[in-house]
Amino acid sequence: MLNRLLITGAAGGLARLIRGDLGHIATSLRLSDIAEPGDLPAGAQFVPCDLADAGAVDALVKGCDGILHLGGISTEQGFDAILNANLIGVRNLYEAARRHGHPRIFLASSNHVVGFYRQEERLGTDAPHKPDGWYGISKSYAEAVALMYFHKFGQETAMVRIGSCFAEPRDHRMLATWLAPEDFVSLTDRVFAAPRLGCPVIWGVSANDVSWWDNSGAGHLGWTPRRSSAEFAAKVAAAVPRPAPTDPVAIWQGGAFTQAPIIED
Ligand code: NAI
Ligand code: 15L
């Protein structure tokens, strides 16, 4: 069990789904964000922090022996916003980890690192990156930072390419990309409990009937997702029109992100 787990992005949508279910992973939780997090799990501490502020991130990481890094820009946005939160922010986090004992890091990467693969392709954990925008590029960068700190300093990171982590899948694409919150929690558990982590890519996806991603390259973690989007297939079919096969949303793994314009700052 960890002594103190830091959760960045603690006010965000994903953190709100799971932050009450991580009490068994660490004796204490330190939650951080630039936004107000609302109700905290019992005993958790909230520390406001902008990831772009190197000194604040250094103080935030000090005293933590594990980091669940969810903070940052999570959609396609202008380069300056991505630069501050996702590029400078990740640099600040890894520098702080280097100074403070190399706490193991769960890095929330994204399927948008490989958004420009076609949906009929099945990818291993070693597939070359094909990012679908500046957001995807920022996650490619974060993975590169993690690998450099692993090879240079032994810093362990789980580079988790999350599909779509929401309470339920919201459209046809998400029937393939959905990660159930419970599976996110069990993956977090494995990442921090595994005797040896290294710096693997892990597809953050549940045991859905349709799958584009093969996790056998991360088999040493022993993580088995339990839920499947199949339980929501009829609900999605009734509520959401199926896109035409020629619609980019039905062609590319990154879905609508592949069609996002460059947003000028
Ligand atoms: P979100 O956008 O709801 O939450 C991100 C949080 O980061 C927000 O609360 C925001 O205030 C905070 N943040 C933004 N800039 C910051 C800064 N400069 N300093 C400190 N905090 C800052 O995103 P969500 O859905 O909760 O995702 C969490 C992480 O997982 C993100 O890194 C995202 O890229 C990644 N991810 C999420 C997926 C999903 O399905 N929810 C899929 C793939 C990746
Ligand atoms: C992501 O990386 C986003 O953060 C999230 O909001 C979802 O859109 C997800 O990917 C997705 O591809 O569904």
Side-chain angles (χ1 to χ4, degrees):
M1 193 178 196
L2 296 174
N3 178 29
R4 182 179 291 120
L5 175 67
L6 167 63
I7 306 177
T8 67
L14 204 167
R16 284 173 188 272
L17 284 175
I18 52 88
R19 67 191 190 192
D21 298 324
L22 300 177
H24 61 292
I25 292 177
T27 309
S28 65
L29 297 178
R30 178 176 290 171
L31 273 50
S32 183
D33 205 295
I34 39 169
E36 274 299 317
D39 292 342
L40 297 181
Q45 170 196 29
F46 178 66
V47 180
C49 175
D50 184 342
L51 290 163
D53 180 338
V57 173
D58 188 83
L60 185 69
V61 166
K62 191 175 179 185
C64 297
D65 51 354
I67 302 174
L68 175 53
H69 183 51
L70 302 177
I73 300 298
S74 65
T75 54
E76 190 61 14
Q77 293 192 23
F79 182 75
D80 284 351
I82 289 174
L83 172 67
N84 285 316
N86 293 16
L87 303 192
I88 294 174
V90 163
R91 186 276 308 264
N92 290 343
L93 189 84
Y94 276 82
E95 273 297 277
R98 182 180 65 81
R99 290 192 205 98
H100 298 298
H102 303 292
R104 193 174 275 189
I105 297 175
F106 179 126
L107 177 72
S109 184
S110 169
N111 71 87
H112 296 288
V113 162
V114 294
F116 271 119
Y117 281 92
R118 302 180 86 88
Q119 293 184 3
E120 59 270 21
E121 292 179 272
R122 188 167 164 83
L123 309 182
T125 51
D126 57 353
H129 295 197
K130 291 191 184 182
D132 56 27
W134 280 111
Y135 167 64
I137 289 171
S138 77
K139 297 296 185 178
S140 290
Y141 157 90
E143 291 188 11
V145 172
L147 282 167
M148 187 274 274
Y149 277 79
F150 176 63
H151 291 299
K152 202 172 274 226
F153 304 113
Q155 167 70 55
E156 291 189 301
T157 297
M159 304 186 291
V160 182
R161 292 185 188 157
I162 302 168
S164 307
C165 191
F166 299 102
E168 297 181 7
R170 297 171 174 178
D171 57 27
H172 291 273
R173 172 180 165 275
M174 284 193 195
L175 293 175
T177 60
W178 187 56
L179 173 63
E182 296 87 343
D183 287 330
F184 183 97
V185 170
S186 69
L187 174 56
T188 308
D189 213 349
R190 288 308 309 149
V191 164
F192 289 110
R196 183 186 68 81
L197 176 64
C199 193
V201 165
I202 304 158
W203 298 107
V205 66
S206 283
N208 305 326
D209 288 356
V210 176
S211 173
W212 306 329
W213 305 318
D214 173 3
N215 251 336
S216 48
H220 70 285
L221 272 188
W223 175 59
T224 307
R226 301 286 173 203
R227 291 193 67 192
S228 165
S229 62
E231 63 186 286
F232 300 104
K235 188 174 173 185
V236 168
V240 188
R242 181 181 288 281
T246 51
D247 188 329
V249 168
I251 294 176
W252 304 111
Q253 295 194 3
F257 279 57
T258 63
Q259 302 307 296
I262 296 294
I263 299 165
E264 294 182 26
D265 293 300

